[in-house]
């Protein structure tokens, strides 16, 4: 199987990145990813501000998908996310929400064993692996750091992007140039201290090029739900963007009227925070697949 090693990584999503590998639509590919600190933190005595910020948020790739052309949709089916044996979390004054009241920084390791992340001697939690950074290259001429989310995907830190899900991303440049990294063993909505349980991983995905279809990307389908994901300068704008894009999906793809779509979202749609600590903030609007099932709509 085609495997892209973690040494093939980028720090910007860009049309100018040379492809690390190429494949055909429908192929299964493994991405080996480093943690968001680039593997620099090897003990709890190392603090976030002691490492090189030039090596933060490496994204493995990019993968060139031969059939992909601007205007297409890239379908990324996430089969598995295998985790390393421990993760790391850091906080620091001024970073994230809890950092607003800190005066010193700290680093914490989380052993991962038997499917759980160990928090302390009283608490351990089942892991829920998720991909923090996953995206395609933006339009020619624009470069976006891997730490920033946007219409191309990127650092969305959506804890629903995990095993068994399908993520739809836009294609802006030939080959799409898919890259991913920043896996978390576990992360709460908001990522309030600025990190998840940051961990190296081995991600297995199938990539397919979809032509002639419309979806408001980035768009995620899980076994139970489907959702729009939107990033903006603040949470108000992000929740509006995610909601209005889901409204458009209900109108355009399910044929609902404008009031019906709004009433449905206000009845069973859930606006949720993905993260509120990155250079742009990200929200999602979640709807149960009961809705698409009842309308006989199948995702492509
Ligand atoms: Ca992140
Ligand atoms: Ca992270």
């Amino acid at each position: 199987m085609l495997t892209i090693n973690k040494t093939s990584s980028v720090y910007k999503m860009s049309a100018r990145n040379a492809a690390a590998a190429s494949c055909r639509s429908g192929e299964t590919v493994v991405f080996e990813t480093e943690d968001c600190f680039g593997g620099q933190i090897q003990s709890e005595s190392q603090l976030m501000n002691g490492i090189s910020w030039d090596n933060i948020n490496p994204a493995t790739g990019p993968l060139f998908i031969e059939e992909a052309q601007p205007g297409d949709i890239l379908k990324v089916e996430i089969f598995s996310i295998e985790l390393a044996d421990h993760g790391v979390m850091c906080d620091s004054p001024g970073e994230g929400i809890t950092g607003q009241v800190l005066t010193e920084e700290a680093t914490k390791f989380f052993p991962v064993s038997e499917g759980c992340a160990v928090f302390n001697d009283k608490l351990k939690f089942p892991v829920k692996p998720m991909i923090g950074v996953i995206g395609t290259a933006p339009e020619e001429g624009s470069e976006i750091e891997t730490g920033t989310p946007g219409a191309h995907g990127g650092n969305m830190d959506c804890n629903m992007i995990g095993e068994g899900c399908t993520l739809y991303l836009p294609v802006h440049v030939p080959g799409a140039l898919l890259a991913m990294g920043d896996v978390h063993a576990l992360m709460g909505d908001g990522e309030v201290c600025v990190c998840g349980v940051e961990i190296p991983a081995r991600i297995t995905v199938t990539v397919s090029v979809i032509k002639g279809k419309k979806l408001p990307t980035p768009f995620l389908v899980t076994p139970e739900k489907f959702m729009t994901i939107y990033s903006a300068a603040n949470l108000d704008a992000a929740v509006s963007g995610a909601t209005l894009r889901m409204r458009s999906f209900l109108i355009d793809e399910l044929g609902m009227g404008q009031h019906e779509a709004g009433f449905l979202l206000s009845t069973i749609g859930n606006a949720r925070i993905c993260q509120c600590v990155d250079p742009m903030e990200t929200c999602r609007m979640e709807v149960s697949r009961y809705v698409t099932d009842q309308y006989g709509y199948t995702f492509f």
Side-chain angles (χ1 to χ4, degrees), residues 36 57 155 157 182 184 191 194-196 198:
C36 75
N57 278 319
N155 193 12
D157 285 319
D182 186 32
H184 304 153
E191 199 184 23
V194 89
C195 294
E198 308 291 339

Side-chain angles (χ1 to χ4, degrees), residues 258-288:
Q258 59 175 339
H259 297 291
E260 193 179 21
F263 292 152
L264 181 84
L265 291 178
S266 213
T267 305
I268 53 93
N270 288 317
R272 295 242 156 98
I273 296 170
C274 295
Q275 60 75 26
C276 52
V277 295
D278 291 334
M280 303 269 275
E281 300 183 338
T282 307
C283 289
R284 61 185 186 268
M285 171 51 78
E286 301 181 349
V287 175
S288 167

